[in-house]
Amino acid sequence: MKKNTQTQEFNDILVDENNIASFSYTAYQNGTLEVHFTINNPQGFHDSDVPKNDMNGLMEAALQASKDKLSTYEVPEK
């Protein structure tokens, strides 16, 4: 049996040392991507461009991790 290795990353998005959002992802060896995004403080998140820019960078990183995993994936033979 071949294991489906994965990469996991967890990030808090901070504004003035306040955790206003959380972003995590798991990229599996076959390219599957699982993302969780939670806004903990809607007012703080929407009132600033900083967390939105951070989130965009984190999403780009997650998509790249998925692409990198898929590029080395070999479909197992049955």
Side-chain angles (χ1 to χ4, degrees), residues 3-49:
K3 292 184 179 180
N4 190 3
T5 60
Q6 56 187 308
T7 298
Q8 294 180 313
E9 187 170 314
F10 303 91
N11 295 279
D12 290 328
I13 299 173
L14 306 174
V15 171
D16 299 327
E17 298 184 28
N18 295 312
N19 180 357
I20 62 167
S22 300
F23 182 93
S24 64
Y25 74 83
T26 304
Y28 296 92
Q29 190 63 41
N30 63 2
T32 301
L33 179 64
E34 183 178 300
V35 175
H36 296 275
F37 175 61
T38 304
I39 297 176
N40 304 318
N41 177 337
Q43 180 96 29
F45 185 87
H46 295 296
D47 284 350
S48 174
D49 287 335

Side-chain angles (χ1 to χ4, degrees), residues 58-70:
L58 293 169
M59 191 64 214
E60 277 186 41
L63 291 170
Q64 187 62 49
S66 172
K67 184 178 178 181
D68 292 346
K69 290 286 189 184
L70 181 59

